[in-house]
Amino acid sequence: MAITLDSPVESVLGASKQAERFTKGLGLRTVGDLLHHFPRRYLRTAELTEVPELHEGEMMTVLGEIVRSDLRPYTDRRTGRTAYRVEAVLQTNGPALRMTFFSKSQHIAQWHNRKLSPGTRGVFVGKAGAFKGQWQLTNPQMVLFGDPEEDAETELTVEAIRDLFPIYPLTNGLQHWDVMRAVRFAREVVSGLWDPLPEELRGRYDVLDLRRAFDWIHAPDDFGQVRAAQRRFRFEEALTLQLVLARRRRALMAQGAQARTGGVTDLLAAFDARLPFELTAGQKEVGQEIEADLARPHPMNRLLQGEVGSGKTLVALRAMLRVVDSGGQAALLAPTEVLAQQHYRSITAMLGDLAANGMQGGLLGGAEETTQVELLTGSMTKTQRKEPLSRIATGEAGIVVGTHALLQEHVQFYDLGLVVVDEQHRFGVEQRAALTDKAGSPPHVLVMTATPIPRTVAMTVFGDLEVSTLTELPAGRAPIQTNLVPLAERPGWINRVWERVREEVEKGHQVYVVAPRISGNEHEQGETDQVDYDAEGQELKPPESQLAAVVEVADELARGPLAGVRLAVLHGKLPPEEKERTMRDFARGELDVLVATTVIEVGVDVPNATTMVVLDADRFGVSQLHQLRGRVGRGGLPGLCLLVSGAEAGSPARVRLEAVAGTTDGFELSRVDLEQRREGDVLGASQSGFRSSLENLRVLRDEETIVEARRAAEELLGEDGDLQSAPLLAQKAAEIEQSVQAAYMEKT
């Protein structure tokens, strides 16, 4: 029977325990999966591996040279008999590593000692450890260059070694040479390698055919072949993704929607006339883009991104008023009650006498035309919801602000024309869809995010959205100074942190203190710790220590360094009325210090707050830290953010914090964030994680390839909308569209 890419992987591995390691450990089910299991990197066999820094417990794969090997007998304490150990020293381009091999047999020990004679080179895999002040490689596995023998005991078979040795992602029980053998055999026996990319397309965009790409990615002669093979697979993946997104855009354009051009009321004009300041050039430009979208007979699907404080809410409110002027309704969906309440207060404050909250008709002595603004949250009682629900259903409420409570079945809109989703990454696919499904015809959709995304990243992640970016900050925003407090080297500096907080309070200012836990080890709902990885892609376990928790920190501060200061706590487990009261008290200046979790990350606006202390800052990601510090410096007063961390110098966590302290450019930080976290499950609900649904692409590294693929996708669909000339490519795109992950793109 012919072996194809769709054949079970056992057809080349046989039914064995090792085959289970490929299927269960690596998730490789077919021969195609095996051939698409690409090397992570390559070692030059002519060079010793550079090892700049070692970490205890880190898995290492190095190319090294034996510089010493000694056979030593010793007495086994358990048996009292003579046993043997071979002590070898492996030289790298960096620290030397000691290796020890034990054996009960003198013959085997002598044979091992001969194999590890000085001058022998090979690839060695093991865990870094320290013993008596010297680095060692524990439990090493190896393949030696130029060794014709086979070691049956350790199941190591020597391969034909080329100039480049591939290093693969592994699982327990598998080594690089195991994967090499399996892949080499699969390449020899597989047939029917039909290429998804048509020959004409490959020629136009200078990409390899499939068979040559497999050969060059797994067994290259030089890095030129590696780059050519990588380009082919990255282009194929980018093209498939861009075909899905391009078809999504075309389907959206084909949908009918009600154009919202105004004419029923003049709320937007009245609002603009009352503004006590001039819109920034960016706000005007983006506003014009949105108005043009709303005037078209198909749904707007736009991403509005910008720094914290760039005025996104004002732009969104003007869009909502345009829809209300057209006789429709607008809904703003916020991820938390705190943020929903903040939006409600902010919108009603900006509208002033144009908001008819809870009243029939206009305000006494107010504007002739008003619109009802309603708030709907999960904590409201049935009685509290009754009237707002009625006004939403009759269309009397023009603007509705709420949390997931807006998604419930009993919430009915009269004419939902615009959905504004704030911090969209916090909502699941079905939640976003549930709100847009409440409209009679497809509503216009505006997605807001304060986490800046490089334009090409946005084009990839949000490929079916148009992108608008606010880069200017309105007048009155002061610069924020960010300092790292490195407790690993300077544990005493924490005392100065609390002195600094007290100094700000004595000046009449207010302070946030942010902690990663509520009490004990309890996370805030929906929050997880930042995950870091080593160079091999292995997750780094954070040091075991008691993390700062809001309840305990507040108690310690009240009894210690901040005694006498007006202090309160805020976290997601508090009753809604207590959360609302605490935020109101803080906003009014009746509290000096607010000890909180990340519930204050977005939307909370207290102009008098000048300082933020983030405890165990290494447990937060780059974008989250950037958003957190955006809570200070909002009232024209200089802001200060202190990142307190015990992370060791040189660690990924420390590098991340130093990057945040080094710049306030959110777009630059988003690139750092992506480089550290990777893109995450770009087509799925997850927004981060080392194991991305993008197998070969990295959106920062492969920007040019993604742009090329987008152009190729548009060309292909323009020439052949059904992709009849590229059936395999059409099949790959259809598989993505039909998958659960594609639901994310459809309903974002």
Side-chain angles (χ1 to χ4, degrees):
M1 180 185 289
I3 295 176
T4 69
L5 293 179
D6 294 326
S7 298
V9 74
E10 288 86 355
S11 61
V12 295
L13 295 175
S16 64
K17 187 153 188 166
Q18 190 176 71
E20 287 186 11
R21 295 183 181 119
F22 280 87
T23 56
K24 294 182 180 179
L26 294 177
L28 308 179
R29 307 295 178 188
T30 67
V31 173
D33 292 341
L34 175 62
L35 290 178
H36 281 92
H37 188 67
F38 298 151
R40 184 169 52 241
R41 60 189 175 93
Y42 303 83
L43 299 180
R44 292 183 184 271
T45 56
E47 300 175 1
L48 300 183
T49 301
E50 184 175 352
V51 183
E53 191 172 356
L54 289 171
H55 300 282
E56 184 94 26
E58 178 182 9
M59 283 301 297
M60 301 178 62
T61 301
V62 298
L63 194 151
E65 180 176 323
I66 302 295
V67 293
R68 198 177 82 228
S69 181
D70 299 310
L71 173 61
R72 302 182 187 278
Y74 69 97
T75 300
D76 189 319
R77 293 180 180 177
R78 291 174 299 175
T79 64
R81 297 178 180 177
T82 300
Y84 303 87
R85 65 173 178 262
V86 175
E87 297 177 352
V89 178
L90 180 69
Q91 185 60 58
T92 67
N93 186 2
L97 302 168
R98 298 180 67 87
M99 300 185 298
T100 305
F101 305 87
F102 298 92
S103 177
K104 297 176 182 178
S105 165
Q106 183 178 14
H107 173 72
I108 292 176
Q110 289 172 336
W111 170 85
H112 221 134
N113 192 39
R114 285 196 304 273
K115 285 188 64 148
L116 296 174
S117 59
T120 301
R121 288 192 173 202
V123 175
F124 299 79
V125 180
K127 190 175 289 188
F131 182 68
K132 294 184 177 179
Q134 288 187 305
W135 284 105
Q136 60 182 6
L137 200 62
T138 60
N139 301 318
Q141 299 285 309
M142 59 192 167
V143 60
L144 304 177
F145 300 164
D147 186 347
E149 298 180 8
E150 178 174 307
D151 185 342
E153 183 178 337
T154 57
E155 298 181 352
L156 300 186
T157 303
V158 176
E159 302 290 341
I161 304 299
R162 295 171 175 265
D163 290 340
L164 296 179
F165 188 91
I167 301 300
Y168 289 92
L170 298 174
T171 188
N172 286 340
L174 283 182
Q175 296 299 337
H176 303 294
W177 35 88
D178 298 322
V179 182
M180 287 173 65
R181 282 198 301 272
V183 167
R184 185 174 64 180
F185 182 62
R187 287 191 291 112
E188 291 172 354
V189 300
V190 71
S191 61
L193 271 184
W194 307 111
D195 199 324
L197 303 184
E199 184 177 355
E200 189 276 332
L201 182 71
R202 296 199 305 268
R204 192 189 310 173
Y205 287 95
D206 189 27
V207 295
L208 296 178
D209 65 87
L210 186 58
R211 182 170 289 279
R212 184 175 299 183
F214 277 138
D215 290 341
W216 285 9
I217 199 83
H218 290 293
D221 291 326
D222 53 49
F223 277 110
Q225 291 185 355
V226 172
R227 287 189 290 271
Q230 288 174 336
R231 170 174 160 71
R232 186 256 142 71
F233 291 113
R234 291 168 185 170
F235 181 84
E236 179 183 337
E237 186 171 342
L239 178 59
T240 306
L241 171 60
Q242 292 299 331
L243 281 170
V244 173
L245 298 176
R247 293 216 282 218
R248 207 52 239 138
R249 289 191 296 273
R250 287 171 181 240
L252 188 68
M253 292 290 286
Q255 284 184 339
Q258 187 173 340
R260 306 288 180 169
T261 56
V264 178
T265 59
D266 291 311
L267 281 167
L268 179 56
F271 175 75
D272 285 346
R274 284 165 168 75
L275 278 178
F277 52 82
E278 183 80 12
L279 294 174
T280 67
Q283 287 173 325
K284 291 178 182 177
E285 181 181 346
V286 172
Q288 290 168 358
E289 291 173 348
I290 291 173
E291 283 191 28
D293 283 352
L294 293 174
R296 296 189 178 105
H298 56 77
M300 173 177 73
N301 215 21
R302 184 170 289 276
L303 170 68
L304 173 59
Q305 64 171 4
E307 294 280 11
V308 172
S310 58
K312 295 182 297 298
T313 304
L314 176 59
V315 170
L317 176 56
R318 295 185 73 252
M320 289 189 275
L321 291 175
R322 168 64 73 181
V323 171
V324 173
D325 278 345
S326 308
Q329 296 167 288
L332 192 159
L333 185 61
T336 66
E337 285 205 11
V338 169
L339 184 52
Q341 290 161 348
Q342 174 73 30
H343 274 309
Y344 176 75
R345 287 193 297 266
S346 176
I347 287 172
T348 52
M350 283 192 286
L351 286 174
D353 62 355
L354 299 176
N357 302 337
M359 298 181 63
Q360 306 297 322
L363 296 171
L364 183 63
E368 292 183 7
E369 291 183 303
T370 62
T371 189
Q372 197 83 29
V373 183
E374 296 290 353
L375 175 67
L376 202 64
T377 66
S379 65
M380 293 170 67
T381 65
K382 188 174 181 179
T383 302
Q384 289 172 324
R385 292 184 184 195
K386 185 177 179 181
E387 288 192 15
L389 286 173
S390 175
R391 288 190 286 266
I392 294 170
T394 61
E396 188 179 344
I399 296 175
V400 184
V401 180
T403 58
H404 61 279
L406 290 178
L407 311 176
Q408 296 173 0
E409 285 185 16
H410 61 269
V411 180
Q412 298 297 322
F413 286 82
Y414 178 75
D415 180 14
L416 181 57
L418 171 65
V419 175
V420 179
V421 184
D422 195 17
E423 296 304 323
Q424 64 85 35
H425 61 277
R426 293 183 172 220
F427 291 96
V429 173
E430 299 306 324
Q431 288 177 310
R432 289 189 293 270
L435 187 53
T436 57
D437 287 348
K438 290 180 180 294
S441 60
H444 300 281
V445 176
L446 180 65
V447 172
M448 296 195 300
T449 178
T451 304
I453 306 167
R455 192 167 189 82
T456 307
V457 178
M459 183 180 73
T460 303
V461 180
F462 304 103
D464 55 348
L465 278 75
E466 298 298 322
V467 181
S468 294
T469 303
L470 293 172
T471 55
E472 303 169 82
L473 291 183
R477 289 306 308 270
I480 302 172
Q481 178 184 339
T482 305
N483 294 334
L484 176 63
V485 182
L487 298 186
E489 301 99 275
R490 299 285 190 272
W493 282 13
I494 190 64
N495 298 324
R496 175 57 186 147
V497 168
W498 304 128
E499 289 174 5
R500 189 73 180 81
V501 168
R502 186 175 279 278
E503 289 169 7
E504 284 299 306
V505 171
E506 288 172 352
K507 291 178 186 176
H509 301 154
Q510 292 164 280
V511 179
Y512 294 103
V513 177
V514 180
R517 298 290 188 268
I518 294 175
S519 179
N521 199 36
E522 184 180 15
H523 282 83
E524 182 62 77
Q525 185 177 7
E527 290 291 337
T528 56
D529 287 341
Q530 169 76 18
V531 177
D532 291 311
Y533 301 87
D534 63 22
E536 297 289 330
Q538 301 295 317
E539 184 175 327
L540 292 174
K541 291 185 178 180
E544 293 184 9
S545 59
Q546 183 63 46
L547 297 181
V550 168
V551 174
E552 288 82 355
V553 167
D555 183 57
E556 291 170 10
L557 293 177
R559 290 187 291 105
L562 298 185
V565 169
R566 296 176 300 173
L567 183 148
V569 302
L570 183 68
H571 57 74
K573 292 287 185 179
L574 293 172
E577 58 274 12
E578 186 174 345
K579 284 189 285 188
E580 172 67 14
R581 184 175 63 252
T582 300
M583 273 311 308
R584 189 168 57 245
D585 291 347
F586 191 64
R588 289 173 176 171
E590 295 171 6
L591 294 171
D592 300 314
V593 176
L594 187 63
V595 184
T597 59
T598 53
V599 294
I600 56 98
E601 178 185 349
V602 288
V604 178
D605 190 359
V606 179
N608 191 44
T610 57
T611 302
M612 174 174 286
V613 178
V614 184
L615 301 173
D616 292 313
D618 47 284
R619 296 306 175 100
F620 302 99
V622 169
S623 295
Q624 195 168 37
L625 290 170
H626 183 57
Q627 285 208 33
L628 282 168
R629 70 176 168 189
R631 299 301 105 210
V632 299
R634 301 177 71 86
L637 299 168
L640 174 65
C641 179
L642 300 176
L643 304 177
V644 180
S645 171
E648 298 287 342
S651 66
R654 184 69 167 266
V655 170
R656 183 171 66 253
L657 297 180
E658 288 168 351
V660 175
T663 181
T664 55
D665 184 337
F667 289 89
E668 177 60 31
L669 287 174
S670 71
R671 299 182 77 91
V672 173
D673 196 21
L674 273 169
E675 287 165 0
Q676 279 210 336
R677 296 195 306 160
R678 304 296 175 92
E679 294 77 359
D681 202 353
V682 169
L683 299 182
S686 170
Q687 293 296 302
S688 66
F690 199 93
R691 292 194 178 279
S692 165
S693 67
L694 296 181
E695 295 176 358
N696 306 301
L697 280 177
R698 294 290 174 263
V699 291
L700 295 180
R701 181 195 64 202
D702 302 322
E703 285 178 322
E704 290 184 10
T705 300
I706 292 167
V707 172
E708 270 192 322
R710 187 179 177 109
R711 185 168 69 247
E714 293 290 355
E715 289 173 358
L716 273 173
L717 292 174
E719 299 163 2
D720 179 11
D722 295 329
L723 296 179
Q724 293 181 0
S725 61
L728 292 178
L729 197 55
Q731 181 183 338
K732 286 169 66 74
E735 288 170 356
I736 293 180
E737 287 175 324
Q738 293 164 6
S739 70
V740 176
Q741 291 177 327
Y744 172 78
M745 290 188 300
E746 287 187 24
K747 298 171 181 178
T748 294

